[in-house]
Amino acid sequence: MTGPGKANGRSGPRAVAGLAAAALVPPAAVAAAHIVPAATWLPRFRAVCFPRLAGIGRAGHVALTFDDGPDPACTPHFLDALDRLAVRATFFVLGESVARYPELSRHITERGHELAVHGWTHSRPWLPALGRDSRETARAAQVVHDTTGLRPQWYRPPYGILTSGRWAAARRAGLRPVLWTAWGKDWTAEATPASVRATVGADLRGGGTILLHDSDRASSPGCWRAALGALPGLVAACRDAGWEVGPLSEHGVGEERTRRPAGRA
């Protein structure tokens, strides 16, 4: 048992002093420590300063990733399109959706794709919640493993906001945080296949990671069709540039010789 008189093997006065010091930490300092790491949300800052987190991998490869599924109304359309294109991808899934749709989740892996963790729900992380982040991230990783028999490797927080608590929760669950280098802004009502392709193409380089969405759960209703329609053109552009397209597991994230993206779509 641990109490104010004895904590982590320390004697009473020292433990009490430690507790008192912790109590004096200003709430603003706690909030800053929680949210400041989320500056990695800025794509160019992330790519230059944190290439592994940005998902920069082999120069001749582009990682294709999807967030927010699985969703029986949308995800099967992406699986069919990817089959036609002979491309495999990484799906960052929500734990509660995996629990709700286990057959679809297994089907994704049976068709050669990999599942990664996007959290348990698509919650916003503005306030510190270290215990909740840890429990929910571990729970999501476990449900993916229990459902598919495969242990996920990757973690991407909802909205791409990697707070200190969510970073620690991912590492505790044995997951590597990965964000992206190019996205399609495919979550808006105004998105079209052409706009998605143009937005991705503006930042796409060999060695980059693309973010799209295979569900409109946290987006404008029906917007997933824009991402789906953009897929053939995006894959063709990558191949024309001489880049392979595939999942993060084949991307070589963090390999020293491949950190610098090359070329442009």
Side-chain angles (χ1 to χ4, degrees):
M1 180 178 294
T2 300
K6 188 173 184 180
N8 299 323
R10 296 183 296 181
S11 61
R14 295 177 70 183
V16 171
L19 291 171
L24 292 174
V25 175
V30 174
H34 167 71
I35 204 67
V36 163
T40 55
W41 185 88
L42 299 168
R44 298 194 185 283
F45 169 69
R46 180 169 70 239
V48 172
C49 299
F50 301 96
R52 293 188 184 188
L53 180 60
I56 295 177
R58 296 189 286 115
H61 188 272
V62 168
L64 180 60
T65 70
F66 296 91
D67 285 6
D68 295 359
D71 186 332
C74 321
T75 303
H77 295 285
F78 286 85
L79 298 179
D80 290 342
L82 291 169
D83 275 353
R84 290 192 294 270
L85 295 166
V87 169
R88 300 295 170 257
T90 300
F91 287 79
F92 283 86
V93 294
L94 297 170
E96 67 172 8
S97 294
V98 173
R100 185 178 302 172
Y101 308 115
E103 291 185 8
L104 176 57
S105 301
R106 283 191 292 271
H107 191 51
I108 294 172
T109 61
E110 288 165 357
R111 291 174 75 164
H113 309 287
E114 67 174 345
L115 296 189
V117 173
H118 197 37
W120 185 257
T121 63
H122 207 281
S123 60
R124 296 181 183 274
W126 303 124
L127 298 176
L130 302 183
R132 185 194 65 194
D133 287 341
S134 183
R135 288 190 303 272
E136 292 191 351
T137 303
R139 186 183 180 192
Q142 189 63 49
V143 76
V144 169
H145 178 249
D146 290 347
T147 301
T148 67
L150 303 170
R151 291 198 180 278
Q153 300 182 58
W154 317 101
Y155 171 74
R156 178 180 290 155
Y159 306 102
I161 300 172
L162 187 64
T163 62
S164 60
R166 291 190 170 183
W167 182 88
R171 301 305 293 174
R172 204 172 292 123
L175 303 170
R176 178 186 289 187
V178 174
L179 299 182
W180 62 87
T181 62
W183 62 1
K185 294 187 178 178
D186 53 336
W187 58 85
T188 68
E190 296 76 25
T192 65
S195 75
V196 171
R197 180 178 169 182
T199 305
V200 170
D203 293 313
L204 186 58
R205 309 288 188 276
T209 292
I210 298 173
L211 162 63
L212 297 173
H213 296 79
D214 65 307
S215 170
D216 57 9
R217 168 174 177 153
S219 310
S220 179
C223 63
W224 58 271
R225 292 183 174 85
L228 181 66
L231 270 181
L234 287 174
V235 171
C238 289
R239 287 173 171 165
D240 288 347
W243 307 326
E244 301 173 51
V245 181
L248 281 166
S249 59
E250 299 174 0
H251 194 46
V253 176
E255 292 181 7
E256 191 69 33
R257 59 187 172 82
T258 61
R259 285 187 177 180
R260 183 175 296 175
R264 178 169 188 162

